[in-house]
Every structure is written in C-alpha cells, then in structure tokens.
C-alpha cells in the first residue's frame, strides 16, 4: 500500500470518527437538555437547581466518554458555575429569586411551568455545546478555560432559549390548528 493510499484511509477514518462523535454528542446534548427541562418542573424551590446541576454533570461526563477525555467532577463544577453566572444577569433574575417566585400563587405556577424549564434546558444545551466543541478541538477538562468560553456560552445559551421557545410555539401551534394533539406528532417528535 502506498503512502498516499494509507493517508487517504487515515483521513477517511478520522472523518468518520469525527462525524460519529458529532452525532453522539448532539444526541447526548439534546437528550440531557430535555431532562433538564423536566427537572425544571420540580415544584420544590432549589430542588430543580440540584436536579439540573446533576443532569449537567452527567451530560458532561457522557461527553467526556464520547471524546475519550478523562472526567474531573471538581473542575467541571467550577467551570459550570462560572459559565452559568454569565447568563444570570441576562435572564433578569437569579436562580434563587426565580425559585422563590414559584411560591407565589398563579404567577409562580406560570413562571415555574415556562421559565424554569426553559432556563434549565438552555443552560444545559449551552454547556453541552461549549464542552463538546472544546473536546472536539482536542481539549481536556484540565485545560478548559471558562473565562475564555463565556462569549461562546452566551451565544449557545441564546440559541438554546430560541430552540426551547420554538419547541413550545410548535406544540401550541399544532394543538391550536387541530384542537388536539395529533397521534403522529409524538412519533415525529421522537424521530
């Protein structure tokens, strides 16, 4: 086998692995974002934050597995705290205040059903995207610089909020036009 043929085969394997990692990472991020949204529905203040944090750590551990990167819980926790703090002022209120608002009758219920799941899903999505991008570039948990990633995280957070909003609008639009949810809608959502 010539050196040129060997190089072509190596490049094909690398591209295939890269595509596989990308697909696995995307699926992992979407799945864990949905879990975080459900965790945001927990009616007990501060418990939804613990649920989201656990889901985010588990997602990053899975991303480490996908990309073959050693996992360090302490390093990840510090990075998560730094990144999530960048979007708290942008959201208008802190998580602690949001949890307390949920106790207010009617307003708290509406807020809890819409805002908290959206925030949890968007944060999880953004964290997953930032870490997956870093790992795909050959980075590790140890050389992850949360300060440097703040801008990328904020962009991904905005994208996560948009995706969550589009999902909610899509659900409302389909139920308004038909009066009920279509049986194929659930199957299409899973596909």
């Amino acid at each position: 086998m010539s050196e040129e043929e060997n190089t072509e085969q190596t490049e094909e394997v690398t591209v295939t692995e890269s595509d596989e990692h990308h697909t696995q990472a995307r699926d992992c991020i979407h799945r864990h974002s949905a879990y975080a949204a459900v965790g945001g529905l927990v009616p007990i203040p501060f418990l939804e934050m613990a649920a989201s944090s656990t889901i985010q750590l588990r997602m990053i551990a899975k991303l480490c597995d996908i990309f073959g990167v050693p996992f360090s819980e302490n390093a990840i926790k510090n990075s998560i705290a730094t990144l999530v703090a960048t979007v708290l002022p942008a959201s208008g209120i802190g998580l602690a205040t949001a949890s307390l608002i949920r106790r207010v009758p009617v307003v708290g219920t509406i807020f809890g059903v819409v805002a908290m799941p959206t925030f949890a899903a968007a944060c999880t999505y953004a964290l997953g995207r930032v870490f997956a991008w870093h790992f795909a570039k050959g980075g590790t948990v140890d050389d992850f610089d949360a300060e440097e990633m703040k801008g990328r995280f904020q962009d991904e957070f905005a994208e996560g909020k948009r995706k969550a909003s589009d999902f909610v609008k899509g659900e409302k639009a389909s139920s308004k036009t038909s009066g009920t949810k279509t049986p194929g809608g659930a199957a299409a959502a899973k596909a």
Side-chain angles (χ1 to χ4, degrees):
M1 179 179 287
S2 73
E3 186 176 325
E4 185 177 310
E5 290 173 338
N6 192 20
T7 302
E8 285 179 21
Q9 285 182 342
T10 303
E11 288 175 359
E12 287 176 19
V13 169
T14 304
V15 169
T16 303
E17 285 178 4
S18 177
D19 289 345
E20 185 177 324
H21 287 157
H22 175 74
T23 301
Q24 289 176 348
R26 184 193 65 228
D27 292 347
C28 176
I29 291 166
H30 287 284
R31 183 175 48 255
H32 284 84
S33 294
Y35 296 160
V38 171
L41 291 171
V42 174
I44 301 169
F46 304 106
L47 185 58
E48 76 274 357
M49 287 185 290
S52 290
S53 295
T54 301
I55 291 164
Q56 291 163 352
L57 278 172
R58 181 168 166 75
M59 175 188 65
I60 295 169
K62 293 279 187 190
L63 290 173
C64 285
D65 288 345
I66 290 168
F67 289 99
V69 174
F71 178 74
S72 170
E73 187 173 334
N74 290 333
I76 296 296
K77 283 182 179 179
N78 292 334
S79 296
I80 288 173
T82 300
L83 292 173
V84 171
T86 66
V87 294
L88 287 178
S91 66
I93 53 177
L95 284 176
T97 305
S99 291
L100 294 175
I101 288 174
R102 292 182 75 177
R103 292 185 160 191
V104 176
V106 181
V107 172
T109 302
I110 293 168
F111 179 81
V113 170
V114 176
M116 289 304 288
T118 301
F119 182 82
C123 272
T124 304
Y125 175 83
L127 286 167
R129 296 276 298 174
V130 166
F131 276 95
W133 178 83
H134 179 70
F135 296 154
K137 298 292 182 203
T140 65
V141 171
D142 294 330
D143 67 3
F144 184 84
D145 186 356
E147 291 294 325
E148 186 179 299
M149 293 291 193
K150 283 182 177 180
R152 179 177 277 280
F153 178 79
Q154 289 171 335
D155 293 343
E156 295 292 352
F157 179 77
E159 177 68 12
K161 282 192 334 186
R162 186 193 61 75
K163 285 182 177 242
S165 176
D166 288 350
F167 178 75
V168 170
K169 287 177 186 173
E171 287 284 318
K172 288 180 181 178
S174 68
S175 62
K176 283 181 183 176
T177 57
S178 65
T180 61
K181 290 185 180 178
T182 59
K190 288 182 181 180

